[in-house]
Amino acid sequence: MKLILLGAPGAGKGTQAEIFSKLCNIPTISTGNILRAAVKAGTPIGLQAKAYMESGGLVPDDVIMGIMKERLAEPDCAGGYILDGVPRTIGQAEAMEAFGIEIDCALSIEVSDETIIRRMSGRRTCPACGASFHVENAPPKVEGKCDSCGADLVIRADDAPETVKARLETYHEQTEPLKDFYAQRGKLRSVDNQPTIDETTAVIKTALADLL
Ligand code: AMP
């Protein structure tokens, strides 16, 4: 299965990507996680991306496409993949098509801005492995520690309230038009965000039933 997860920042794409990766035994490619690792390691891509990320804007399309081409060429992508947070612009979607990157479905998780703002304030992220938790909805087993690797959890700099507002604006302006882009290609499916992670997983399973 080649799946794109669409949705505002904080819609639960990362959480659901992780669940469906395990279920389908395919990797998730999260450009956000790849970029955060690059920033942390101080690589040339990281140095280029840092300021865009901290302001709530988008990293330039050519940087993202460079990352994608390299990552999708890895052998673990041969049997399918879940794209979390990419494409983020029509330019990226067109570049992916031009490069022959195929997808079966773009699944949009629909959530109101109000819910996003409330939710992002409780998000905690593992700086070591990228896993995501929430103080109320998905707390780690040990407070403040990552379930997967035990590292101390942090609040992402770009989850600060003013940056969240900027990221939502960026989403509506630059990423939401992708819904039409994939609808025109007959690839768009949508689900409404549900009160719990499990319920959202259930509606996604129903929406993707013929592909799972
Ligand atoms: P995310 O973890 O997906 O919310 O990404 C965090 C930040 O990384 C975003 O706010 C952007 O600045 C940057 N980023 C991640 N993926 C992309 C992408 N496909 N295109 C442009 N910027 C991206």
Side-chain angles (χ1 to χ4, degrees), residues 18 33 40 125-133 146-151 153:
E18 217 175 296
N33 282 351
K40 201 170 154 213
T125 306
C126 176
C129 73
S132 193
F133 301 87
C146 176
D147 285 357
S148 310
C149 70
L153 299 178

Side-chain angles (χ1 to χ4, degrees), residues 31-32 35-36 53 57-59 64 85-86 88 92 156 167:
T31 41
L35 289 168
R36 275 184 289 281
M53 294 173 76
L58 293 181
V59 174
I64 298 296
V86 67
R88 252 331 203 270
Q92 289 175 21
R156 266 168 50 179
R167 291 170 70 200

Side-chain angles (χ1 to χ4, degrees), residues 65 68-70 72-73 93-102:
M65 288 315 295
M68 289 292 288
K69 285 176 191 169
E70 214 170 279
L72 289 172
E94 285 173 346
M96 280 173 48
E97 273 188 354
F99 189 62
I101 299 171
E102 288 178 9

Side-chain angles (χ1 to χ4, degrees), residues 149-207:
C149 70
D152 287 334
L153 299 178
V154 298
I155 299 176
R156 266 168 50 179
D158 60 354
D159 281 348
E162 29 336 325
T163 316
V164 169
K165 290 207 179 97
R167 291 170 70 200
L168 276 172
E169 270 169 38
T170 303
Y171 169 74
H172 290 304
E173 278 167 22
Q174 301 198 54
T175 306
E176 215 169 10
L178 285 173
K179 290 199 274 186
D180 276 344
F181 181 92
Y182 288 112
Q184 281 160 15
R185 286 155 178 75
K187 304 255 166 152
L188 183 74
R189 300 184 193 184
S190 300
V191 295
D192 283 328
N193 166 68
Q194 303 295 315
T196 67
I197 292 172
D198 285 350
E199 287 167 290
T200 303
T201 303
V203 292
I204 295 175
K205 275 186 185 162
T206 305

